[in-house]
Amino acid sequence: MTSLLWIAIAFCAFVLVLPVWLAPVLGSESAAYSIHVENALQPPSLAAWFGTDNLGRSQWDRFLFGAGNSFYNAAGSLGIALPLCLVMGGIAGHKAGHWPDKAISWAIAMVHATPFFLVVVAFTAVFSPGLESLPWLIAAVIWAPPARLVRGEVIRLNESRFVLSERAGGLSRWTILLASILPLTLAPTAVSLLYLFPEIVGIDVALSFFGLGAQPPTPTLGRLIYDGLRRWDPAWWLATFPSLGLFAYCLLLHAMADMIGRITGAAGK
Amino acid sequence: MKVNIIKKWVLILLGMVLLGAGGYAVYCGWKAEQKTPVIISESAKQERPFVIAFENEVVSLDPIRLTDVFGLRIASQIFEGLAKVDASNRIVPALGESWQADRDFKNWTFKLRKEAHFHNGKPVTADDVVFSFTRMLAKEAVTKGPLIEIIVGAKEYAEGQATSISGITIIEPDHVKFQLTRSDSGFLGRIASPAYSIVSKEEVEQSKDQFGNTLASGTGPFRLQSRNNYELTLERFADYWGGKGGNLNLVKFRTIKEDQVRLNELRGQRIQAMYVTPPLIKALIEATSTNDQPHLKPEFSQFKGITYPVFNTYFLAFNYPKVNAHLRRAIALAVDREQIVQGVAPQLAVAAAGPIPLSCDGWQTQVQANPPDIAAVRKELSKIAPKKPSFKPTVEVLVHDLAQAEPIGEIIKAQLEPLGVQVNLVRQSFNTVIERLTKGDYQAVVIAFEYQFPTPSLILENFYTSRAIPMPNLFHYSNPAVDKSVGNLFSKPESAKTLRDAEAIEKRIVEDAPAAFLFQMRQMVVLTSGVDGILFNGANFPILWGASWK
Amino acid sequence: MNPRLGYALSILGILLRGFSFVSGLVVFCFALSYLAPGDPARSVLGPNARESDVESLRHEMGWDLPLTGQLTRYIGELAHFRLGQSTVSGLPVLTEINNHFRYTVLIGGIAVSLSLALALAINWLLLINEALRPIIPILRLGVSAPSFLIALVSALTSGSLLSSWGLGSAGAYELSLAAMLGPALAVTVYPTALMTALLRDRCIGIRISSYCRAALAYGYGPNSLFWRVMLPNSAGILASAWINQLSVVLFSTLLVEQFFSISGGGALLIRSIQAKDTPVITGVVLLNGLFFLTINAVGLWLEKNMNHIRRGLPSP
């Protein structure tokens, strides 16, 4: 089961970053950035599959590279958030009822209760705005719910028979945590983070309210959707194709998350 | 089993009926939008609100707190100053029925209009004028800047060294005299903005913090009836000194931030007027329209589109002391203004290489918006680092969410990079950009000015002299010769000669290249065809007094 | 120990923990606001104000003090139950919050109530009529898709449809159920899909349980099964999910408000952060913290007291 699980996780990671590799293959970076104002806001046609935007740029190419940027960004956020969740949740669960647990639970509640917009704007004062700092910003916000989940799992597993027998065998509590308990929490944590993926793209939209996020002219899915909705009439295609693409990708991710869930569920029996 | 089948069919039929009803309701709703003109009775016309949609909310209407053009547009209906700008961009009497200036333009005496009253019915007195101008120099007043050095005693008062402004005196019950620190033939233009409106001393003192929020009493043709989070309602002031005017009795200024929502409201005729932003141009007007004659699409047949020139300029500003002079000139020569106009607002924008609005009365600019001169560009670039021929200069350009800054920045980047200038676009919120501008912490920024001053001399003095550093002279541009020339403009009466002098100053400024001036935008407004007589001035204020329902 | 004393001490403990959480939150957000770029003095006086006037206002209001100095001043005001005034409008903070957040509360309230009602209705319909199974993939889509996207697309659709009927959306901004229906519909799609899916999973699990088989043997019909067996045994998880959705709904509401141009809590928060209006930011955070504590406590109580299986069956 373990090897199957790792294969599943590796496959998910591959699918997550696939658009980054596919973009230069299926599209052209120069077409995504070249401005032709005489072709502004053209509807979809054979020459421009997804139409053109207000500066005459090919929406097909901007969609491909935008998807690549967004998913790369999201994958980066998940990659940063995952170890953070495991560490924080693991310590909190391991020391349940003591001050490390209380401190970490307090931090989790703080993240939930703080207005996200405020964190974003303050963050950009410390780090320069741009695609490079975005994964860190998003990871700083999304780690909280899965960390709570990890904490719960660690508390539950701490009372399980195999842990008790390992303890009786003389292994230290920290060794048991690192070698036995945390690996078992990896799958549900990964699944939980995968379910957050669509919200990560949504954060890009929220950043647009403050003029933050990816710097122009770099496209991202969230930005394409937001700008497209604002030009819905007369250019319905600007928001439609990125939205459909995002829908389809989210469905795929949910299916993968379900698959991982089924694998771990099957192993539990 | 039989019961289950019956239940199933009942549910299916119910579902079909509901879907049908829903579809019919949508159809009815759609048909309702294709309204035909309704004949409205005279009395109903009087009470029918005229709704104008804006994209920003207005926080305070207090003239001394007005920092944005939307607030000024509404305030111009409620408040008046001693003078104002009419639809022809001329300065005309308002509460100052007449005025006299001495030969050197250092002393101005205003005779107050006897028939002018505040909305509470009290007449306008000289005490109110003195009170209003004193208030304009209060700590929290945004109106201080242009006044503080021009009126005798204003600086001492603002710094707390005096309890009143010595340069403003009441010489008769209806005559107020202003003593200036220097010759200023443009003094009228300075105080013609709604920001320099006269308010009732008694009302302000009684209402305290509420003035400008729930209470806004002036002398203008409309009074504030009510306001909430999203809408201000004005009603016609029956005792306005200007006479009866039209029959537009109720005007609502409604905040609708999203362009698409405003468009939808217009389509459904739930608003009667809307200022058009560039992203909505293609949704509203046919491709065959010209700058002067916008043809609206058939779905907007109940409306008419009008365009008029506005005092503004869109430009790429440089941090003058920090950015290399050759680089500045190269960029100013390299930008293709026509391409920018086509990309941003093809039916509204006009390419312009100078900062003064082309629509200023009598203005004949000496600066032409020529196509890019690549040879001249390369020559300037080669002078930046003559010992390193392969050197590629880099410039960081700030963009933000207003004034189409982002698409302009993207087009400029695409134009400059093939010529060897690396452009890094940095997008930040507008407030952050302003903070960086005031600190001088930037290299270049895409921004626009909307001028409230109606004359070129006032625009030059308030935006392009070193006195205005850091704001609004955000370029930190300083040229002593320009400062001196601009100062000389105010020692003579405004005439064709001063205009020619101002044109020469503009040319000098463009040669110094504190900015690459790009274009000027005409304003388009969509109005219901059921109303006539609405005018607009160059400061983009609607003049609603003479408007009537047909 | 005296039970009453123990009870009182536990209440005190809860209050102290809540107080420490809220005060920590306020300090944290005050610090974030301090770090955020922007100059409140420049925001008040406008971009054209003279630098000397801006400095003078900054000094008078204490905005040139270091973080600790400003925080001390603010805590001093809070100790006197004063939340201060907005630097943008000059109005008291509570007035600003009341003026704006009532729209948010109404939209959120309609949305979460609708989502619960729809979740119950859809699951009941699915139980009594298997022909409606094609709904399930649509639900899946609703859960999978980003909540923000569903909210924005729903806003666009419902705005067009409902405003042509004169209901809600951007046609009217009054604080009424009808006026806020459009924005609420936009927000309710995701929580409805999520709670419907949760309830369905739970019902399927109960369906195959032994006590459910016993109920069927007793003669329970689909209606009785749903309302008297499945729903009581799902109440806990449904209530917890409903409570958890409140914060998701709040975020979606802030986005939808922008799109419908409703001057609600989202607009206030965005304006305050952009203008660095610290009194309003900390006021909103304070009230948000209290709200969060409340829903957290309610959620925990629900989990503890309602999440059990009721195996006893009333007579059919």
Side-chain angles (χ1 to χ4, degrees):
Chain A
M1 189 285 291
T2 309
S3 53
L4 195 61
L5 179 61
W6 281 112
I7 290 168
I9 290 175
F11 179 70
C12 289
F14 170 73
V15 169
L16 210 57
V17 295
L18 188 61
V20 180
W21 297 324
L22 275 182
V25 172
L26 296 176
S28 150
E29 197 169 8
S30 64
Y33 291 91
S34 306
I35 291 176
H36 302 281
V37 296
E38 62 279 7
N39 292 335
L41 295 179
Q42 296 300 311
S45 63
L46 286 175
W49 292 352
F50 283 6
T52 61
D53 68 0
N54 56 307
L55 295 180
R57 295 174 294 200
S58 161
Q59 274 296 92
W60 163 248
D61 300 281
R62 285 185 74 72
F63 164 69
L64 285 175
F65 284 90
N69 289 331
S70 289
F71 301 150
Y72 177 79
N73 179 37
S77 311
L78 298 180
I80 297 167
L82 182 61
L84 189 60
C85 295
L86 290 174
V87 165
M88 299 294 257
I91 295 171
H94 192 61
K95 291 286 182 187
H98 296 97
W99 71 264
D101 174 32
K102 288 182 180 162
I104 291 171
S105 297
W106 185 87
I108 291 172
M110 201 64 61
V111 168
H112 272 303
T114 304
F116 165 71
F117 296 133
L118 186 56
V119 174
V120 160
V121 173
F123 192 88
T124 54
V126 179
F127 304 96
S128 57
L131 213 51
E132 302 78 26
S133 54
L134 217 46
W136 296 95
L137 167 65
I138 294 171
V141 174
I142 64 169
W143 69 271
R148 194 182 259 179
L149 182 78
V150 170
R151 176 185 174 274
E153 283 291 292
V154 167
I155 291 172
R156 185 181 68 84
L157 287 169
N158 256 335
E159 303 304 319
S160 59
R161 283 187 208 159
F162 79 91
V163 167
L164 290 171
S165 61
E166 282 182 355
R167 227 178 270 154
L171 288 175
S172 76
R173 297 175 77 95
W174 285 105
T175 309
I176 295 169
L177 174 70
L178 291 170
S180 300
I181 297 178
L182 281 183
L184 288 174
T185 64
L186 179 62
T189 310
V191 166
S192 172
L193 282 172
L194 275 178
Y195 276 119
L196 283 178
F197 172 82
E199 308 312 317
I200 293 174
V201 178
I203 287 172
D204 197 21
V205 174
L207 292 177
S208 306
F209 294 139
F210 296 95
L212 302 173
Q215 297 301 299
T218 310
T220 56
L221 267 192
R223 192 69 208 224
L224 287 174
I225 293 169
Y226 179 72
D227 289 343
L229 282 172
R230 299 183 83 189
R231 286 180 190 271
W232 181 259
D233 184 354
W236 56 267
W237 55 91
L238 293 180
T240 303
F241 295 112
S243 304
L244 288 174
L246 182 60
F247 262 122
Y249 197 74
C250 291
L251 274 178
L252 178 62
L253 280 181
H254 269 252
M256 288 192 322
D258 283 350
M259 176 181 66
I260 294 176
R262 271 198 290 276
I263 291 170
T264 47
K269 287 178 189 164
Chain B
M1 175 78 169
K2 202 173 177 180
V3 171
N4 277 344
I5 292 170
I6 292 172
K7 209 183 252 182
K8 185 170 153 184
W9 278 106
V10 164
L11 278 171
I12 290 171
L13 279 170
L14 192 62
M16 285 171 66
V17 165
L18 279 172
L19 268 175
Y24 182 66
V26 170
Y27 173 73
C28 287
W30 176 73
K31 283 301 274 183
E33 285 193 23
Q34 319 300 316
K35 287 186 175 64
T36 49
V38 174
I39 298 172
I40 307 170
S41 67
E42 274 306 314
S43 56
K45 275 182 201 174
Q46 309 249 336
E47 298 313 314
R48 185 179 166 186
F50 181 78
V51 184
I52 307 175
F54 280 125
E55 61 259 38
N56 270 26
E57 60 179 353
V58 173
V59 181
S60 176
L61 286 172
D62 189 347
I64 65 168
R65 289 180 183 264
L66 290 168
T67 57
D68 63 290
V69 291
F70 303 99
L72 284 166
R73 279 177 205 166
I74 299 173
S76 67
Q77 315 303 317
I78 301 172
F79 299 100
E80 287 176 317
L82 294 172
K84 63 182 178 184
V85 178
D86 70 2
S88 310
N89 299 319
R90 287 188 306 250
I91 299 170
V92 296
L95 293 181
E97 188 182 65
S98 61
W99 49 77
Q100 270 186 321
D102 61 6
R103 284 187 66 177
D104 60 0
F105 300 103
K106 276 183 149 184
N107 291 285
W108 289 75
T109 305
F110 290 84
K111 178 173 186 280
L112 299 181
R113 197 176 288 277
K114 285 195 181 65
E115 63 272 32
H117 287 79
F118 290 109
H119 295 150
N120 61 7
K122 301 274 172 68
V124 178
T125 65
D127 271 336
D128 296 312
V129 175
V130 173
F131 172 79
S132 300
F133 273 87
T134 309
R135 199 166 170 264
M136 288 171 204
L137 292 160
K139 272 194 295 285
E140 65 275 17
V142 306
T143 40
K144 269 204 287 268
L147 291 184
I148 204 161
E149 283 162 11
I150 201 84
I151 299 180
V152 167
K155 197 169 179 192
E156 289 78 8
Y157 174 76
E159 288 167 2
Q161 293 162 14
T163 52
S164 64
I165 305 173
S166 54
I168 306 179
T169 47
I170 300 173
I171 53 175
E172 283 175 37
D174 60 350
H175 279 74
V176 180
K177 182 176 165 192
F178 290 81
Q179 205 179 341
L180 307 183
T181 56
R182 59 176 198 267
S183 298
D184 187 7
S185 59
F187 183 63
L188 277 179
R190 260 180 237 286
I191 60 169
S193 162
Y196 300 101
S197 295
I198 306 303
V199 296
S200 162
K201 179 180 176 185
E202 185 187 323
E203 272 208 355
V204 171
E205 284 172 347
Q206 279 172 2
S207 61
K208 297 194 173 97
D209 293 338
Q210 291 309 312
F211 193 81
N213 287 318
T214 51
L215 180 68
S217 174
T219 60
F222 289 87
R223 65 202 298 172
L224 179 67
Q225 187 195 69
S226 63
R227 73 176 294 184
N228 54 34
N229 280 2
Y230 57 86
E231 194 171 75
L232 284 115
T233 304
L234 307 187
E235 61 179 1
R236 187 173 283 269
F237 178 41
D239 289 334
Y240 180 58
W241 60 264
K244 192 182 176 298
N247 67 10
L248 205 65
N249 288 344
L250 211 58
V251 179
K252 289 180 184 272
F253 290 90
R254 183 175 293 169
T255 301
I256 303 178
K257 289 184 184 162
E258 285 296 326
D259 289 341
Q260 291 297 315
V261 178
R262 251 180 292 125
L263 189 66
N264 211 34
E265 293 299 283
L266 189 79
R267 195 178 276 121
Q269 296 183 48
R270 287 174 290 279
I271 58 175
Q272 283 74 48
M274 182 175 91
Y275 283 80
V276 176
T277 52
L280 290 178
I281 294 171
K282 287 216 170 181
L284 279 164
I285 66 179
E286 302 277 24
T288 49
S289 298
T290 60
N291 273 12
D292 297 325
Q293 197 79 38
H295 294 129
L296 298 182
K297 289 184 176 171
E299 59 190 299
F300 300 105
S301 56
Q302 307 295 324
F303 294 90
K304 58 189 176 196
I306 59 169
T307 63
Y308 51 92
V310 177
F311 296 156
N312 61 42
T313 179
Y314 289 65
F315 50 91
L316 174 68
F318 301 112
N319 190 335
Y320 186 78
K322 288 190 180 172
V323 176
N324 181 283
H326 298 295
L327 180 59
R328 285 189 270 112
R329 284 192 205 109
I331 293 174
L333 288 167
V335 288
D336 184 346
R337 291 169 179 81
E338 284 301 334
Q339 190 188 39
I340 294 172
V341 160
Q342 285 307 308
V344 172
Q347 276 130 334
L348 288 182
V350 174
I356 302 299
L358 299 169
S359 53
C360 279
D361 199 22
W363 186 254
Q364 295 162 15
T365 185
Q366 298 177 19
V367 180
Q368 303 307 319
N370 297 321
D373 184 347
I374 305 299
V377 170
R378 294 207 192 281
K379 194 172 166 189
E380 287 289 346
L381 288 175
S382 65
K383 291 177 187 170
I384 296 173
K387 292 180 184 168
K388 292 183 198 171
S390 60
F391 173 71
K392 286 197 174 173
T394 302
V395 62
E396 182 187 84
V397 175
L398 299 181
V399 294
H400 47 85
D401 43 330
L402 298 180
Q404 303 298 305
E406 202 174 313
I408 294 172
E410 290 180 282
I411 297 173
I412 290 175
K413 181 180 164 80
Q415 290 175 352
L416 294 181
E417 284 185 345
L419 298 170
V421 179
Q422 178 65 30
V423 174
N424 296 331
L425 294 177
V426 174
R427 184 180 60 216
Q428 296 189 298
S429 69
F430 185 69
N431 283 353
T432 309
V433 167
I434 292 294
E435 195 190 358
R436 287 185 66 170
L437 295 182
T438 51
K439 289 179 184 166
D441 174 27
Y442 77 103
Q443 287 187 323
V445 62
V446 178
I447 204 162
F449 282 152
E450 287 222 16
Y451 300 123
Q452 298 303 312
F453 299 106
T455 61
S457 46
L458 282 170
I459 292 171
L460 288 169
E461 193 212 31
N462 281 281
F463 289 82
Y464 300 100
T465 56
S466 49
R467 195 183 287 147
I469 294 172
M471 283 296 202
N473 184 346
L474 52 93
F475 328 93
H476 297 249
Y477 168 63
S478 178
N479 184 330
V482 165
D483 288 351
K484 190 173 174 202
S485 305
V486 170
N488 289 341
L489 291 175
F490 295 97
S491 58
K492 306 167 240 190
E494 297 202 346
S495 63
K497 171 82 174 53
T498 53
L499 274 179
R500 302 290 90 80
D501 291 342
E503 285 157 15
I505 296 171
E506 184 197 43
K507 190 176 175 194
R508 183 61 205 266
I509 291 171
V510 170
E511 282 166 2
D512 286 344
F517 297 97
L518 303 172
F519 62 88
Q520 293 167 16
M521 189 92 82
R522 291 170 69 82
Q523 177 69 60
M524 180 175 165
V525 174
V526 173
L527 297 169
T528 177
S529 306
V531 166
D532 265 342
I534 295 183
L535 304 170
F536 297 86
N537 65 13
N540 219 348
F541 300 153
I543 298 169
L544 302 171
W545 178 240
S548 293
W549 293 103
K550 278 186 193 161
Chain C
M1 185 191 281
N2 185 337
R4 280 189 189 166
L5 181 63
Y7 190 64
L9 281 175
S10 69
I11 299 257
L12 188 64
I14 291 168
L15 287 172
L16 276 173
R17 277 197 294 275
F19 176 77
S20 72
F21 169 73
V22 172
S23 46
L25 185 65
V26 166
V27 169
F28 178 59
C29 290
F30 194 97
L32 283 181
S33 177
Y34 180 85
L35 274 180
D39 181 356
R42 177 63 67 184
S43 294
V44 168
L45 295 178
N48 295 335
R50 297 186 320 161
E51 191 55 32
S52 52
D53 296 331
V54 172
E55 269 177 31
S56 171
L57 184 64
R58 212 181 278 140
H59 181 71
E60 187 192 324
M61 301 301 288
W63 292 328
D64 54 352
L65 294 172
L67 172 61
T68 45
Q70 290 191 39
L71 188 56
T72 311
R73 266 171 90 132
Y74 182 70
I75 290 172
E77 291 290 307
L78 267 187
H80 290 91
F81 300 103
R82 283 196 295 258
L83 285 179
Q85 282 177 302
S86 164
T87 56
V88 173
S89 64
L91 290 171
V93 167
L94 275 178
T95 306
E96 281 281 41
I97 291 174
N98 175 47
N99 285 348
H100 289 87
F101 269 88
R102 49 191 176 169
Y103 292 93
T104 309
V105 165
L106 185 59
I107 294 170
I110 297 172
V112 292
S113 305
L114 264 180
S115 61
L116 185 62
L118 286 171
L120 290 172
I122 292 170
N123 274 284
W124 172 67
L125 282 171
L126 281 171
L127 183 69
I128 65 169
N129 192 349
E130 286 295 314
L132 293 169
R133 283 180 68 85
I135 289 178
I136 298 168
I138 300 171
L139 288 178
R140 189 170 187 74
L141 192 73
V143 174
S144 304
S147 58
F148 82 92
L149 185 60
I150 294 191
L152 289 180
V153 171
S154 307
L156 196 69
T157 325
S158 64
S160 302
L161 282 177
L162 287 178
S163 63
S164 52
W165 296 336
L167 279 179
S169 79
Y173 299 82
E174 294 86 27
L175 194 69
S176 66
L177 281 175
M180 296 294 118
L181 185 61
L185 279 178
V187 169
T188 210
V189 175
Y190 179 77
T192 302
L194 187 71
M195 288 208 285
T196 308
L198 262 173
L199 182 58
R200 176 161 174 79
D201 284 346
R202 183 77 171 180
C203 287
I204 289 172
I206 293 169
R207 187 75 187 264
I208 57 174
S209 64
S210 53
Y211 62 89
C212 190
R213 286 200 291 270
L216 286 170
Y218 271 145
Y220 272 51
N223 268 331
S224 300
L225 199 67
F226 181 76
W227 295 105
R228 300 170 83 177
V229 178
M230 290 179 171
L231 196 55
N233 286 304
S234 314
I237 198 166
L238 197 62
S240 302
W242 190 74
I243 291 288
N244 286 334
Q245 282 310 300
L246 287 175
S247 49
V248 173
V249 160
L250 190 66
F251 180 66
S252 301
T253 306
L254 299 187
L255 283 182
V256 165
E257 278 174 12
Q258 287 293 113
F259 201 80
F260 277 88
S261 294
I262 294 171
S263 191
L268 177 66
L269 198 57
I270 290 171
R271 183 194 89 189
S272 304
I273 292 172
Q274 285 177 338
K276 212 166 166 168
D277 190 350
T278 305
V280 170
I281 294 171
T282 38
V284 168
V285 163
L286 184 65
L287 292 172
N288 189 46
L290 291 171
F291 174 69
F292 177 79
L293 272 180
T294 311
I295 61 170
N296 224 24
V298 171
L300 284 170
W301 183 87
L302 285 170
E303 270 181 26
K304 199 173 159 186
N305 291 288
M306 294 179 74
N307 224 358
H308 57 269
I309 302 294
R310 289 161 54 174
R311 295 188 188 273
L313 288 172
S315 54

